[in-house]
Amino acid sequence: MRQTRKTASSEPRGQERPRASRAPAAAASAPGSSRARRPTAQARGGSGEAVRQSSAKQRPRQLSPRAQEVGPGEPPPELELLPPPPPPTPATPTSSVATLDLGDQRERWETFQKRQRLTFEGAAKLLLDTFEYQGLVKHTGGCHCGAVRFEVWASADLHIFDCNCSICKKKQNRHFIVPASRFKLLKGAESITTYTFNTHKAQHTFCKRCGVQSFYTPRSNPGGFGIAPHCLDEGTVRSVVIEEFNGSDWEKAMKEHKTIKNMSKE
């Protein structure tokens, strides 16, 4: 919709202007002459300031997209002013090499990223994993149906416990123990359910869909996880040593065992 800006000089074409409007400016300023000699100004408030204010009020306003879509011949809708644009958000520092002072190592770092084809975060993770889990390998695994998947950092040579307590004997719960910080659930938190009994300290977690227990929280190590080696993907296990644990007499076995309590510590 196009709007025409009105000014003090807009008058019907073909109509002669009053002669008083062509008088010199000195005569127009005489007392009592403003009414007869400035009819358009009188219609708009009687002063030049009022004309300027009226013209300013009639400037086209910014219309919303809805108001701009009205075609020719249609009644214009009520004008809607667009909301003011939101204030600019301050820039936040990003985790990139540009924000870090790497000194003489900047060129080596950029070359390392390009050679490994990694992002900044990926390169940092690779170096952290290599340093923090030195001597360990990353195993991956999960349940049978694939709803539950995890990764765990542990030795390639696994020390497996074969417990003969009432539940481990029935479900053949062979497992190796790792600290919680070395275990990461990749997916399937909503697919996991938990069974407890007796002291309710052991959290026997398993997939609700296929019933496979690929990991759980053992009573002996509540700060870690017991991982089922038979639920790991192939290719990362080098050797396996199996130790029998007399879980049927759990308190006595735990008291006599020298190392099992420390297996979930860093």
Side-chain angles (χ1 to χ4, degrees):
M1 180 176 62
R2 182 177 180 182
Q3 293 185 350
T4 304
R5 177 178 167 183
K6 295 182 180 181
T7 61
S9 61
S10 60
E11 300 173 358
R13 296 182 61 183
Q15 182 177 352
E16 185 177 356
R17 295 183 181 179
R19 295 183 177 275
S21 61
R22 301 185 182 181
S29 61
S33 62
S34 59
R35 276 192 172 181
R37 306 192 183 195
R38 303 185 66 182
T40 54
Q42 180 187 15
R44 298 185 178 276
S47 67
E49 181 64 23
V51 173
R52 286 192 294 271
Q53 292 179 358
S54 176
S55 299
K57 290 180 181 179
Q58 296 185 23
R59 290 177 181 173
R61 292 180 291 177
Q62 188 177 12
L63 303 181
S64 66
R66 180 181 176 186
Q68 293 175 354
E69 292 176 358
V70 177
E74 298 182 15
E78 183 180 355
L79 299 182
E80 300 176 9
L81 292 178
L82 293 176
T89 55
T92 55
T94 57
S95 298
S96 64
V97 67
T99 62
L100 299 178
D101 183 12
L102 300 178
D104 295 339
Q105 307 306 316
R106 176 178 296 275
E107 185 177 353
R108 290 182 59 197
W109 177 264
E110 293 175 348
T111 303
F112 175 77
Q113 282 185 264
K114 293 178 182 178
R115 185 179 301 158
Q116 299 296 328
R117 297 182 180 179
L118 295 171
T119 62
F120 177 83
E121 183 180 359
K125 183 179 184 301
L126 175 62
L127 294 177
L128 284 172
D129 290 346
T130 302
F131 176 79
E132 188 176 8
Y133 302 132
Q134 192 171 7
L136 306 179
V137 298
K138 182 170 72 174
H139 305 278
T140 57
C143 66
H144 181 263
C145 70
V148 177
R149 294 288 299 171
F150 65 85
E151 67 180 29
V152 58
W153 287 88
S155 173
D157 304 303
L158 300 179
H159 187 102
I160 308 298
F161 289 100
D162 186 5
C163 181
N164 65 353
C165 73
S166 61
I167 190 170
C168 288
K169 186 176 181 179
K170 285 184 178 291
K171 65 177 180 178
Q172 296 293 295
N173 183 30
R174 297 182 180 90
H175 59 275
F176 61 96
I177 300 173
V178 297
S181 61
R182 296 182 187 173
F183 175 87
K184 182 179 181 180
L185 181 65
L186 300 177
K187 73 170 187 174
E190 70 286 350
S191 301
I192 294 174
T193 189
T194 303
Y195 170 71
T196 64
F197 71 101
N198 196 13
T199 63
H200 303 283
K201 291 184 178 180
Q203 306 291 309
H204 296 273
T205 50
F206 57 95
C207 176
K208 292 186 289 187
R209 181 179 178 185
C210 64
V212 170
Q213 176 181 285
S214 53
F215 65 91
Y216 83 114
T217 303
R219 180 184 174 187
S220 62
N221 295 81
F225 288 95
I227 312 298
H230 45 275
C231 289
L232 297 179
D233 299 332
E234 296 181 358
T236 54
V237 177
R238 183 167 51 197
S239 67
V240 170
V241 174
I242 299 177
E243 177 185 351
E244 294 183 354
F245 183 79
N246 188 22
S248 59
D249 193 356
W250 195 90
E251 284 77 10
K252 181 181 178 181
M254 282 296 296
K255 186 176 180 179
E256 293 177 352
H257 205 285
K258 304 299 182 184
T259 60
I260 192 171
K261 290 183 179 179
N262 298 325
M263 289 187 168
S264 60
K265 296 180 180 180
E266 294 291 345

